[in-house]
Amino acid sequence: CGRSVSYAAPTATDNCTGMLTILKVDGTGLMSGDFFPVGTTLQKFETTDECGNTSTCMFNVVVIDNELPIITGCPTNIVKSTDPGLCTALVTWVAPTASDNCPGVSLSLSPNLPPGSIFPKGTTNMTYTATDVSGNIAVCNFSVTVNDNELPQITCPANIVVNADAGQCSAVVTYTTPVGTDNCPSPMTTQTTGLPSGAAFPVGLTTNTFKVTDGSTNMATCSFTVTVNDNQNPVITDCPDDITVSCAADSTIANTGGPAIATDNCPGV
């Protein structure tokens, strides 16, 4: 945190002949060739002639620290999965150390998330900065990436069995629409097959499938069936009346009514 500095010794002249003494003033500076610390060192010399007259001269030795501090053990990029049931992860690492040619180097971290902190899903860029007393800096960069690999959850109602509504080939069926949940906010639930709650379900079996997708494209599905049974008998109308005729050889049967008509709540009778 300094350097050896040599300088030419000062000289003195006087109007009178005789011995002149040149001395460094006590408590100021260092001798030529000495090790000067970083910063400004005042050098003060005084000369005295034989009559006791004195004169002084001064100069500064300025040692500038241009040497960058050193960061050792910068972490490599970190990749983790979210902790179970959470959209965050506790992340730890071995913090680096900082050294410098001069004492007093400091090490800071931005953002202020030291080892053992809770990190959100996504990538957080981290920077350690070492700063020495002369304002020289060194940095090391790494990233913490938290991935959401946890599947969302969704639960469907139990299978439903109903009879067709009166006079209909269907039944209006209501159910509790499933809604997916996830360790991270705002999963999206959609129905991919079947009919929504409150719709008229046709006779037969309808499969209802729901899908939940989270923000990391993780997906889960569930399904249930709605079975509508047709238990209504068909109806025959316009059945002809009973017909009575004699057995004469030339008897004919008059068509006194139209053909019978069959109807049903479902087509195809």
Side-chain angles (χ1 to χ4, degrees):
C1 190
R3 67 171 298 159
S4 296
V5 179
S6 297
Y7 53 85
T11 59
T13 59
D14 192 50
N15 58 318
C16 295
T17 58
M19 182 178 294
L20 297 173
T21 60
I22 302 175
L23 297 174
K24 189 170 69 65
V25 177
D26 288 342
T28 63
L30 298 167
M31 301 305 294
S32 177
D34 282 350
F35 187 84
F36 282 73
V38 165
T40 299
T41 303
L42 174 66
Q43 303 288 104
K44 186 176 182 180
F45 288 84
E46 183 178 83
T47 181
T48 306
D49 65 14
E50 290 182 341
C51 296
N53 300 307
T54 62
S55 181
T56 60
C57 79
M58 293 179 290
F59 67 96
N60 290 321
V61 174
V62 181
V63 178
I64 299 172
D65 176 19
N66 291 320
E67 188 170 338
L68 299 181
I70 296 173
I71 299 176
T72 304
C74 187
T76 57
N77 293 338
I78 299 171
V79 179
K80 278 201 68 176
S81 294
T82 52
D83 293 335
L86 299 174
C87 199
T88 58
L90 187 149
V91 183
T92 188
W93 63 89
V94 177
T97 58
S99 59
D100 191 52
N101 57 313
C102 292
V105 62
S106 63
L107 186 65
S108 62
L109 176 63
S110 179
N112 186 23
L113 293 169
S117 295
I118 302 297
F119 281 76
K121 185 186 78 168
T123 297
T124 304
N125 294 315
M126 309 292 293
T127 300
Y128 275 104
T129 302
T131 306
D132 68 14
V133 293
S134 297
N136 299 305
I137 65 171
V139 298
C140 88
N141 299 300
F142 68 103
S143 64
V144 175
T145 300
V146 177
N147 294 322
D148 176 20
N149 296 315
E150 187 169 336
L151 296 180
Q153 302 291 321
I154 190 168
T155 302
C156 279
N159 294 337
I160 299 172
V161 179
V162 296
N163 290 324
D165 293 339
Q168 303 294 322
C169 197
S170 61
V172 174
V173 178
T174 60
Y175 56 84
T176 300
T177 301
V179 177
T181 60
D182 191 51
N183 58 312
C184 289
S186 304
M188 180 178 291
T189 303
T190 56
Q191 185 171 9
T192 57
T193 66
L195 296 170
S197 176
F201 282 73
V203 165
L205 185 145
T206 301
T207 299
N208 298 284
T209 302
F210 287 83
K211 177 178 72 174
V212 55
T213 306
D214 65 15
S216 299
T217 68
N218 299 306
M219 183 185 70
T221 63
C222 72
S223 298
F224 69 101
T225 60
V226 173
T227 301
V228 178
N229 294 322
D230 176 18
N231 64 344
Q232 300 176 45
N233 293 326
V235 177
I236 300 176
T237 59
D238 291 339
C239 186
D241 295 331
D242 293 340
I243 301 171
T244 301
V245 296
S246 65
C247 291
D250 60 350
S251 296
T252 60
I253 300 173
N255 183 4
T256 58
I261 298 173
T263 60
D264 192 50
N265 59 313
C266 290
V269 62

